[in-house]
């Protein structure tokens, strides 16, 4: 058949769907555009084949031709129609979707060559999986933008292989192929797929459930894209794959958290190191590996940098691997940083010196310097902050220092650095930095307000607010920081010559000037020069030659401050003088430089160039704040007020007066000013984004390791001041280690009830109470006892005097012990009574009374007896539910009087929930240890074995209670356990074997037996 007849036949065939003229024009454009001379003939043949397969699909193909033409797809019309034929032979529905969508898809492909390659790959794929072929064509435009399209075959082959095994997984992969290719190498894609396929589960009908896998494939490319380095991304997938083989949930959790956790590490090398060991751990236990990945960045941060960092980290890791080999649960606790063994291992591996190791020495040192009882505490998040600076609290009673001292290579140097930091802050306390009152500066404040046109603003309430009146508030604050630090260091060296060497040595090491580049202003260079001179550096090295004269004039103003009587007020007045002088000198310097350059400039340029801004005119972002020496702390001008009492109003005034954002306000905890500018603020924001979302960076146990326990401080749980919390470890016998900070005790006053029950007991057992009081009064020692035959005393011993006279008359050397001394006697006993009020105390006895009613009656009688003997005692009850919620109720504390309030709290006791004995015993022991007493007694009153949920029962609970009682004994406390149980069992002998105990089989006898038990214990 001739070409003319072929064209005519095709046009006639298309006329039914397109119209005669449109069909003829279309055939002509096809012949002109097609990439092969016989395109029209092939087109006709393919349409015939398609008609034979499905007339409906053939009509859809004809209807799509105009759109294909509009999208410029006529050059590939033959492979386009060929793919449609292949699809139609397998699925008419797929072919219909193809002809509807493909013209637009081809139009999105930018290169003509790519269109042909995409269709060729589609035809090959359609022979193996129709749906995969159609999905591939849909993602082809995105693939073209993501990878060289010549690599598309390799990516598609992976999907087709997967689809042959699991159609759902393969199709979903092809759909996400472009997004995956954007973040992964082809070598990593099978690892990625292995994670997804492990997420396929079986539903209740016994069929595969693909929901988790599909969600993973859709969301993980975005998450992986947040991991910047390709090598780290690849290794992260290896870890996920290894986790998925054992615990798919752990794999998903890891990938979700990976970007945040990896960003916590400073380099690609350290990230790869973390991941390398994670693969090894995952092969042993997925949960332990996940905990390692979560805590590893913290551990690496604490261990620090340096040539020994890797070996120290490996030592810590190996110790955990050994624990894991012995106990799976022990390994999980270790890598979760929840065990005492893990913390001890970490402390051995850490570079530097933990503050808590030298805190007591620093405390005594500071007290010796300034004569003030100062508490030493760690700066928040200072373990991971390289620039943490010492500071003090607003009241001057707490000094905050970095949690880890590791600025230097040796422990000795780091301890010296800590001592100098502490001495510097102590100097601020001793020499009155924060005792300054703004009232003494009223004239300066008024002059500043007038000078800079600030009379409409409120009178500043803090020194910080005064600085905000200056055009450059940070310049004013930096000048004050330099001169006040210099004043304090001068006085320290004068008063304590022994500090001179260390102060000078650290100052010489810590000099850190700004970069002397084109962005550094004359003002900044002058401030840096003053800082260097303030630490004793020579003018030749401290001051650039270009501003030598200016800095010399400024330093001359500072010299009067370095005398023994200089005060904090003098420093602020000098600050104002320096600010004004710097403005004058900066203007003069700019004018002088302008005159020097005038001869070299064209006339019109010299006339139009604007003058350099003066200090009084510069916008705030033209001055970059000072970088102070590392041993100098963070001073807070917000602490200095009119009356010494900072108020919220002052803080608000500071912000309003400066016209700045909220970031300029002082931080109420650390006293650190966050007012920054330009690049510095951007840098801090970047640092903040590096932290994982939500919660604190360090695990609670690590915070405990770094915390300073010179004085244990209570943590308020809420606005209710009477409710306080404290955490205690718990012994896990299965791993032979303590779980650090496992239990959270919530101490609160017992709920008040009616005192009618107490009054009823007092009335009904009046006679018995009288007998008990009389018996216990007999235990009270006589206030004083006479001791005869003493060398010194209050009265003469007549017998000894007569004996001495007789001996002297007989020529013997008589004894000089002829006095009587009266010694005061005291029982010196402190007793804590700890009562179990778990739900089991609601058990009713034969007479209808509950166990807890008998316990309360016993305590009423005991209190009356104890009041008679005069011992100091406390009554406590405990219950709770879970390790995080152990309730510790105070019925009567040691210093409370026995009265109506205690009676009501005792009357309000009722059965609660469960009983975690170990935590309650540890807390009661801690309260006892705070009492000044020669004999400390802990009496535990329980009605059975400890039980608190699934994680605190049987052997675990028994062993923890036993360990808590042993701990009490080691601290000099004498525990005694009274168990209300109908029969003695093996668990009691095991739990109380190391301490004395009594089993009361008749609960009704408890009220009479408990006081007798106490009498025997203290007789």
């Amino acid at each position: 058949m001739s070409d003319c007849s072929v064209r005519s036949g095709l046009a006639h065939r298309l006329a039914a769907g397109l119209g005669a003229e449109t069909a003829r024009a279309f055939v002509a454009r096809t012949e002109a555009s097609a990439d092969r001379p016989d395109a029209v003939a092939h087109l006709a043949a393919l349409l015939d084949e398609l008609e034979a397969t499905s007339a409906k699909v053939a009509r859809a193909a004809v209807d799509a031709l105009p759109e294909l033409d509009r999208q410029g797809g006529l050059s590939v019309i033959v492979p386009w129609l060929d793919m449609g034929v292949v699809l139609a032979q397998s699925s008419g529905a797929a072919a219909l979707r193809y002809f509807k969508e493909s013209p637009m898809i081809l139009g999105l492909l930018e290169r003509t060559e790519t269109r042909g390659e995409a269709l060729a790959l589609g035809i090959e794929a359609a022979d193996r999986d129709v749906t995969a072929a159609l999905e591939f064509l849909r993602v082809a435009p995105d693939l073209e933008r993501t990878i060289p399209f010549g690599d598309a075959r390799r990516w598609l082959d992976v999907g087709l292989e997967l689809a042959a095994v699991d159609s759902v997984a393969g199709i979903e992969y092809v759909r996400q192929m472009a997004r995956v290719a954007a973040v992964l190498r082809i070598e990593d894609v099978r690892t990625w797929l292995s994670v997804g396929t492990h997420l396929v589960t079986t539903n209740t009908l016994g069929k595969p459930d693909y929901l988790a896998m599909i969600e993973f494939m859709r969301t993980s490319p975005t998450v992986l894209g947040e991991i910047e380095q390709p090598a780290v991304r690849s290794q992260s997938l290896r870890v996920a794959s290894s986790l998925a083989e054992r615990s798919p949930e752990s794999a998903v959790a890891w990938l979700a958290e990976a970007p945040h956790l990896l960003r916590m590490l400073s380099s690609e090398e350290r990230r790869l190191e973390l991941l390398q060991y994670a693969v090894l751990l995952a092969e042993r236990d997925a949960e332990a590996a996940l905990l390692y990945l979560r805590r590893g960045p913290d551990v690496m941060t604490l261990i620090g940098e340096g040539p020994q960092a890797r070996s120290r980290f490996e030592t810590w890791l190996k110790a955990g691997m050994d624990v894991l080999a012995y106990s799976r649960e022990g390994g999980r606790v270790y890598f979760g940083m929840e065990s005492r063994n893990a913390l001890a291992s970490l402390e051995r591996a850490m570079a530097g010196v933990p503050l808590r190791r030298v805190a007591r020495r620093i405390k005594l040192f500071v007290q010796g310097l300034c004569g003030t009882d100062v508490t030493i505490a760690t700066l928040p998040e200072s373990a991971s902050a390289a620039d943490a600076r010492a500071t003090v609290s607003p009241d001057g009673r707490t000094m905050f220092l970095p949690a880890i001292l590791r600025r230097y290579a040796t422990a000795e140097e780091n301890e010296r650095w800590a001592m100098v930091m502490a001495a510097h802050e102590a100097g601020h306390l001793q020499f009155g930095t924060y005792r300054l009152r703004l009232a003494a500066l009223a004239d300066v404040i008024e002059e500043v307000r007038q000078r800079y046109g600030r009379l409409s603003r409120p009178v500043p309430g803090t020194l910080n607010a005064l600085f905000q009146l200056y055009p450059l508030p940070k310049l004013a604050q930096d000048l004050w920081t330099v001169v006040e630090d210099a004043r304090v260091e001068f006085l320290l060296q004068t008063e304590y010559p022994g500090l001179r060497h260390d102060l000078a040595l650290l100052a010489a090491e810590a000099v850190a000037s700004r970069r002397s580049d084109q962005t550094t202003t004359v003002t900044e260079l002058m401030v840096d020069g003053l800082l260097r001179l303030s630490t004793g550096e020579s003018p030749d090295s401290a001051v650039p030659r270009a501003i030598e004269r200016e800095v010399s004039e400024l330093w001359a103003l500072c010299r009067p401050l370095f005398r023994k009587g200089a005060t904090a007020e003098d420093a602020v007045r000098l600050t104002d003088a320096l600010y004004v002088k710097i403005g004058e000198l900066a203007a003069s310097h700019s004018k002088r430089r302008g005159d020097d350059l005038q001869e070299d400039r064209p006339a019109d340029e010299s006339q139009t160039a604007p003058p350099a801004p003066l200090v009084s005119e510069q916008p705030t972002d033209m001055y970059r704040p000072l970088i102070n020496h590392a041993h100098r702390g963070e001073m807070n001008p917000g602490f200095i007020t009119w009356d010494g009492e900072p108020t919220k109003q002052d803080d608000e005034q500071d912000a309003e007066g400066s016209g700045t954002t909220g970031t300029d306000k002082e931080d109420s905890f650390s006293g650190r000013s966050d007012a920054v500018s330009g690049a510095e603020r951007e840098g801090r924001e970047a640092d903040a984004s590096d932290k994982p979302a939500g919660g604190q960076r360090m695990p609670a146990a690590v915070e405990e390791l770094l915390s300073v326990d010179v004085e244990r401080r209570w943590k308020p749980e809420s606005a209710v001041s009477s409710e306080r919390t404290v955490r205690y470890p718990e012994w896990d016998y299965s791993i032979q280690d303590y779980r650090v900070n496992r239990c959270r005790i919530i101490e609160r006053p017992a709920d008040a009830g009616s005192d009618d029950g107490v009054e009823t007991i007092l009335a009904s057992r009046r006679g018995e109470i009288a007998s008990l009081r009389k018996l216990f009064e007999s235990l009270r020692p006589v206030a004083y006892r006479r001791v005869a035959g003493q060398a010194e005393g209050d009265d003469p011993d007549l017998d000894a005097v007569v004996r001495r006279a007789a001996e002297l008359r007989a020529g013997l050397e008589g004894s000089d012990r002829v006095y009587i001394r009266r010694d005061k006697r005291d029982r010196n006993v402190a007793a804590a009574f700890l009562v179990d009020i778990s739900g089991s105390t609601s058990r009713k006895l034969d007479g209808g009374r509950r166990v807890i009613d008998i316990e309360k009656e016993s305590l009423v009688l005991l209190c009356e007896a104890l009041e008679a003997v005069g011992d100091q005692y406390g009554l406590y009850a405990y219950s709770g539910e879970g390790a995080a919620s152990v309730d510790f109720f105070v019925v009567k504390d040691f210093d409370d009087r026995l009265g109506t309030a205690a009676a009501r709290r005792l009357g309000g006791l009722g059965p609660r929930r469960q009983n975690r004995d170990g935590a309650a015993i540890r807390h009661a022991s801690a309260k006892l240890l705070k009492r000044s007493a020669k004999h400390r007694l802990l009496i535990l009153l329980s009605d059975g074995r400890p039980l608190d949920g699934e994680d605190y029962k049987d052997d675990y609970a028994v062993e923890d209670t036993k360990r808590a009682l042993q701990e009490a004994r080691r601290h000099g406390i004498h525990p005694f356990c009274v168990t209300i149980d109908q029969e003695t069992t093996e668990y009691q002998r095991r739990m109380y074997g190391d301490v004395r105990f009594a089993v009361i089989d008749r609960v009704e006898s408890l009220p009479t037996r408990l006081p007798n038990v106490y009498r025997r214990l203290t007789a």
Side-chain angles (χ1 to χ4, degrees):
M1 186 180 293
S2 66
D3 292 343
C4 181
S5 60
V6 171
R7 287 195 297 273
S8 176
L10 180 59
H12 177 75
R13 180 169 191 164
L14 297 178
L18 304 180
E21 290 189 14
T22 303
R24 285 194 296 271
F26 176 81
V27 172
R29 285 196 301 275
T30 299
E31 191 172 29
S33 304
D35 56 358
R36 51 190 300 173
D38 56 350
V40 173
H42 273 81
L43 183 58
L46 289 170
L47 283 173
D48 290 338
E49 188 175 355
L50 193 58
E51 182 72 28
T53 303
S54 170
K56 184 177 181 180
V57 173
R59 287 195 298 272
V62 172
D63 292 341
L65 290 174
E67 181 62 25
L68 182 69
D69 188 11
R70 282 192 293 271
Q71 297 295 336
L74 294 183
S75 61
V76 291
I77 191 171
V78 172
W80 172 77
L81 195 56
D82 193 5
M83 182 171 176
V85 171
V86 175
L87 292 173
Q89 290 171 348
S90 298
S91 169
L96 289 173
R97 289 197 302 272
Y98 168 76
F99 284 122
K100 181 178 179 181
E101 300 174 18
S102 58
M104 180 65 70
I105 293 172
L106 293 173
L108 294 174
L109 292 169
E110 298 177 358
R111 298 172 56 247
T112 303
E113 297 84 353
T114 303
R115 296 171 185 171
E117 293 174 16
L119 290 170
L121 289 174
I123 292 169
E124 292 180 24
D127 287 332
R128 298 167 66 179
D129 191 296
V130 171
T131 307
L134 188 56
E135 293 297 339
F136 167 74
L137 194 64
R138 287 169 175 163
V139 301
D142 292 330
L143 268 180
E144 181 188 39
R145 291 189 291 270
T146 304
I147 60 173
F149 208 79
D151 295 338
R153 180 183 296 276
R154 298 176 64 193
W155 286 87
L156 179 58
D157 284 344
V158 173
L160 294 173
E161 291 172 12
L162 181 60
V165 178
D166 189 318
S167 177
V168 175
I171 298 306
E172 187 59 35
Y173 161 76
V174 175
R175 287 173 180 157
Q176 306 303 326
M177 193 161 54
R179 299 181 61 232
V180 176
V183 296
L184 294 181
R185 301 172 302 178
I186 186 62
E187 293 80 11
D188 297 324
V189 72
R190 284 182 170 81
T191 305
W192 176 78
L193 283 171
S194 72
V195 179
T197 53
H198 277 103
L199 298 177
V200 180
T201 59
T202 303
N203 62 22
T204 55
L205 300 177
K207 296 184 178 181
D209 185 342
Y210 292 95
L211 184 61
M213 182 205 71
I214 292 172
E215 184 67 18
F216 166 79
M217 289 187 172
R218 291 177 180 177
T219 58
S220 61
T222 301
V223 175
L224 290 168
E226 296 179 27
I227 302 175
E228 295 178 0
Q229 296 98 341
V232 175
R233 198 180 303 141
S234 176
Q235 190 70 5
S236 298
L237 271 179
R238 283 192 60 204
V239 172
S241 178
S242 188
L243 288 171
E245 291 177 10
R246 295 154 187 86
S247 170
E249 297 81 5
S250 296
V252 172
W254 155 241
L255 286 178
E257 300 174 37
H260 297 300
L261 294 172
L262 294 171
R263 207 173 292 135
M264 291 165 62
L265 296 173
S266 58
S267 67
E268 180 177 359
E269 179 184 0
R270 304 216 77 184
R271 292 165 188 162
L272 291 173
E273 180 183 350
L274 175 79
L275 297 171
Q276 169 191 347
Y277 297 121
V279 175
L280 298 176
L281 260 177
E283 293 173 355
R284 298 191 180 188
D285 185 72
E287 187 173 339
L290 181 60
L291 289 166
Y292 159 81
L293 288 164
R294 285 171 171 164
R295 301 309 184 204
D298 288 327
V299 172
M300 284 186 161
T301 299
L302 291 171
I303 288 177
E305 305 283 350
Q308 300 300 318
R310 186 182 183 102
S311 63
R312 289 197 299 266
F313 180 73
E314 288 175 347
T315 300
W316 172 84
L317 178 72
K318 185 178 183 299
M321 298 283 275
D322 292 341
V323 174
L324 183 62
Y326 168 77
S327 165
R328 187 180 300 269
E329 182 62 23
R332 292 170 181 174
V333 173
Y334 181 97
F335 288 112
M337 297 306 298
E338 297 174 3
S339 73
R340 190 166 289 178
N341 182 25
L343 295 182
S345 180
L346 173 59
E347 186 171 6
R348 289 191 295 269
M350 280 194 310
V353 180
L355 175 62
R356 68 183 184 87
R357 194 183 298 171
V358 295
R360 185 170 295 278
R361 185 147 40 101
I362 293 175
K363 177 183 175 71
L364 296 175
F365 175 66
V366 170
Q367 288 177 346
L369 285 180
C370 62
T372 304
D373 186 8
V374 176
T375 297
I376 306 300
T378 55
L379 281 164
E381 296 188 2
S382 58
S384 56
D387 58 347
R389 291 181 180 274
T391 186
V392 296
S393 61
D395 59 7
R397 295 178 183 174
T398 304
M399 183 179 295
F400 299 96
L401 296 171
I404 304 177
L405 309 168
R406 56 180 177 197
R407 183 174 182 82
Y408 298 96
T410 67
E412 180 181 359
E413 290 175 305
N414 285 312
E415 290 177 18
R416 181 190 66 192
W417 176 50
M419 288 295 185
V420 172
M421 280 195 295
H424 199 276
E425 296 309 299
H428 284 296
L429 298 177
Q430 180 181 0
F431 301 121
T433 297
Y434 298 118
R435 291 197 299 272
L436 174 64
R437 299 293 174 262
L438 288 186
L441 299 167
D443 56 323
V444 175
I445 293 172
E446 189 60 28
E447 182 180 344
V448 170
R449 295 177 71 205
Q450 292 184 7
R451 183 193 306 152
Y452 300 116
R454 309 290 199 244
L455 293 175
S456 60
R457 292 189 183 180
V459 175
T462 66
L463 184 60
N464 185 53
L466 171 59
F467 292 152
Q468 300 299 333
L469 298 180
Y470 289 84
L472 291 178
K474 295 306 291 184
L475 172 60
Q477 183 171 333
D478 280 355
L479 290 171
W480 172 69
T481 298
V482 170
V483 298
E484 180 61 11
D485 277 340
R487 179 186 76 90
V488 167
E489 285 190 9
F490 171 81
L491 294 175
L492 279 172
Q493 295 181 53
T494 301
E495 292 285 331
Y496 311 105
L499 287 173
R500 291 177 183 172
H501 176 265
D502 286 345
L503 280 169
L505 187 62
L506 286 179
E509 293 173 352
V511 169
S513 177
R514 300 177 197 274
R515 292 178 304 146
S516 298
D517 56 18
Q518 67 275 13
T519 63
T520 302
T521 66
V522 172
T523 300
E524 292 166 1
L525 289 173
M526 286 192 281
V527 176
D528 277 335
L530 290 177
L531 173 64
R532 289 172 175 269
L533 292 173
S534 74
T535 56
E537 191 174 354
S538 67
D540 292 340
S541 60
V543 184
R545 186 173 301 277
I547 57 168
E548 189 174 9
R549 182 173 62 83
E550 288 84 351
V551 175
S552 177
E553 291 186 36
L554 293 171
W555 189 242
L557 293 176
C558 298
R559 291 187 184 280
L561 192 67
F562 305 127
R563 55 185 174 82
K564 200 164 185 179
T567 65
E569 178 186 340
D570 297 333
V572 177
R573 293 182 180 277
L574 174 59
T575 297
D576 182 64
L578 288 172
Y579 188 98
V580 174
K581 189 66 175 177
I582 284 178
E584 296 171 355
L585 292 173
S588 174
H589 181 87
S590 298
K591 183 177 184 301
R592 188 169 67 252
R593 289 199 62 189
D595 293 342
D596 293 342
L597 296 173
Q598 190 73 22
E599 297 176 2
D600 299 329
R601 289 183 182 171
D604 55 346
E605 182 180 339
S606 63
Q607 292 174 0
T608 58
L614 304 181
V615 170
S616 59
E617 300 170 346
Q618 286 178 323
T620 56
D621 61 353
M622 290 186 65
Y623 175 78
R624 295 178 298 173
L626 178 78
I627 301 174
N628 206 343
H629 296 322
H631 69 280
R632 291 181 172 179
E634 189 93 21
M635 290 198 300
N636 191 333
F639 292 170
I640 300 172
T641 64
W642 286 92
D643 56 4
E645 296 294 333
T647 64
K648 183 178 179 182
Q649 181 179 359
D650 294 331
D651 296 336
E652 292 173 352
Q653 181 177 310
D654 292 350
E656 292 173 4
S658 65
T660 58
T661 64
T663 56
D664 290 329
K665 293 185 180 179
E666 305 298 334
D667 183 292
S668 60
F669 180 75
S670 66
R672 178 173 296 183
S673 173
D674 288 334
V676 294
S677 62
E680 187 176 356
R681 179 178 288 113
E682 291 176 6
R684 291 192 181 180
E685 289 173 353
D687 292 341
S689 68
D690 287 349
K691 298 180 181 179
Q696 62 182 21
R697 282 256 317 254
M698 296 291 174
V702 177
E703 293 286 0
E704 182 72 13
L705 168 68
L706 299 177
S707 67
V708 178
D709 54 2
V710 176
E711 298 92 5
R712 177 183 280 273
R713 291 179 292 173
W714 283 93
K715 176 184 175 183
E717 180 66 16
S718 63
V720 182
S721 60
S722 58
E723 183 174 301
R724 301 177 296 179
T725 66
V726 65
R727 289 189 174 271
Y728 290 97
E730 188 169 87
W731 175 254
D732 186 341
Y733 86 103
S734 67
I735 65 173
Q736 291 295 296
D737 199 358
Y738 283 96
R739 290 177 178 260
V740 182
N741 286 337
R742 169 77 167 174
C743 298
R744 174 171 162 265
I745 285 279
I746 305 172
E747 181 185 310
R748 58 168 70 93
D751 296 335
S754 172
D755 60 355
D756 293 345
V758 176
E759 294 297 333
T760 300
I761 295 170
L762 292 173
S764 64
R765 309 195 68 158
R766 185 179 296 111
E768 190 173 346
I769 290 173
S771 300
L772 281 173
R773 290 185 67 89
K774 186 175 181 180
L775 178 62
F776 273 70
E777 283 174 354
S778 68
L779 299 176
R780 186 193 293 267
V782 178
Y784 292 93
R785 67 184 180 97
R786 293 161 50 90
V787 183
Q790 300 299 306
E792 296 179 352
D794 304 306
D795 299 306
D797 183 348
L798 294 180
D799 292 338
V801 170
V802 171
R803 190 182 309 112
R804 176 180 169 80
E807 290 172 346
L808 291 174
R809 178 164 293 186
L812 302 175
E813 183 179 353
S815 171
D816 61 354
R817 305 180 75 82
V818 294
Y819 293 96
I820 293 174
R821 188 178 71 241
R822 298 181 184 273
D823 284 350
K824 186 173 182 178
R825 300 184 65 189
D826 192 357
R827 278 169 58 87
N828 204 8
V829 175
F833 295 87
L834 188 58
V835 184
D836 166 17
I837 57 170
S838 59
S840 59
T841 59
S842 63
R843 175 167 56 93
K844 287 190 176 182
L845 307 174
D846 293 342
R849 302 176 68 193
R850 302 173 302 172
V851 172
I852 196 167
D853 298 327
I854 303 297
E855 290 180 339
K856 289 158 67 173
E857 182 178 348
S858 306
L859 292 175
V860 171
L861 270 61
L862 183 64
C863 288
E864 292 295 323
L866 290 172
E867 289 294 312
V869 77
D871 291 345
Q872 52 177 320
Y873 67 97
L875 297 181
Y876 311 101
Y878 69 98
S879 183
E881 190 166 18
S885 182
V886 181
D887 294 320
F888 191 92
F889 300 103
V890 178
V891 179
K892 177 197 172 298
D893 222 337
F894 282 101
D895 295 324
D896 294 343
R897 289 180 58 253
L898 182 65
T900 304
R904 287 177 175 170
R905 287 195 287 267
L906 183 57
L909 288 182
R912 294 271 179 163
R913 292 169 291 183
Q914 303 189 74
N915 56 308
R916 207 173 193 100
D917 290 10
I921 291 169
R922 290 184 178 94
H923 189 56
S925 299
K927 295 179 77 69
L928 265 174
L929 289 172
K930 294 179 182 177
R931 307 307 300 176
S932 176
K934 184 177 181 180
H935 305 286
R936 298 183 179 92
L937 186 64
L938 172 61
I939 297 180
L940 173 66
L941 183 58
S942 174
D943 74 329
R945 67 172 68 227
L947 175 65
D948 187 12
E950 290 299 315
D951 67 338
Y952 198 81
K953 65 178 183 178
D954 302 334
D955 290 346
Y956 184 102
V958 167
E959 291 295 330
D960 178 59
T961 303
K962 178 180 178 180
R963 181 59 66 106
L965 292 169
Q966 291 173 343
E967 293 165 15
R969 286 189 62 188
R970 285 199 299 271
H971 286 96
I973 296 172
H974 303 286
F976 189 88
C977 305
V978 179
T979 299
I980 306 169
D981 208 340
Q982 294 182 348
E983 57 183 44
T984 303
T985 60
E986 177 61 31
Y987 90 85
Q988 292 168 342
R989 284 189 289 269
R990 176 181 167 191
M991 188 164 65
Y992 302 138
D994 293 340
V995 300
R996 290 183 288 176
F997 71 99
V999 178
I1000 299 180
D1001 52 358
R1002 289 186 63 253
V1003 181
E1004 294 83 352
S1005 65
L1006 181 64
T1008 55
R1009 294 186 63 177
L1010 186 59
N1012 288 326
V1013 166
Y1014 182 80
R1015 181 175 62 85
R1016 289 196 302 271
L1017 290 172
T1018 59

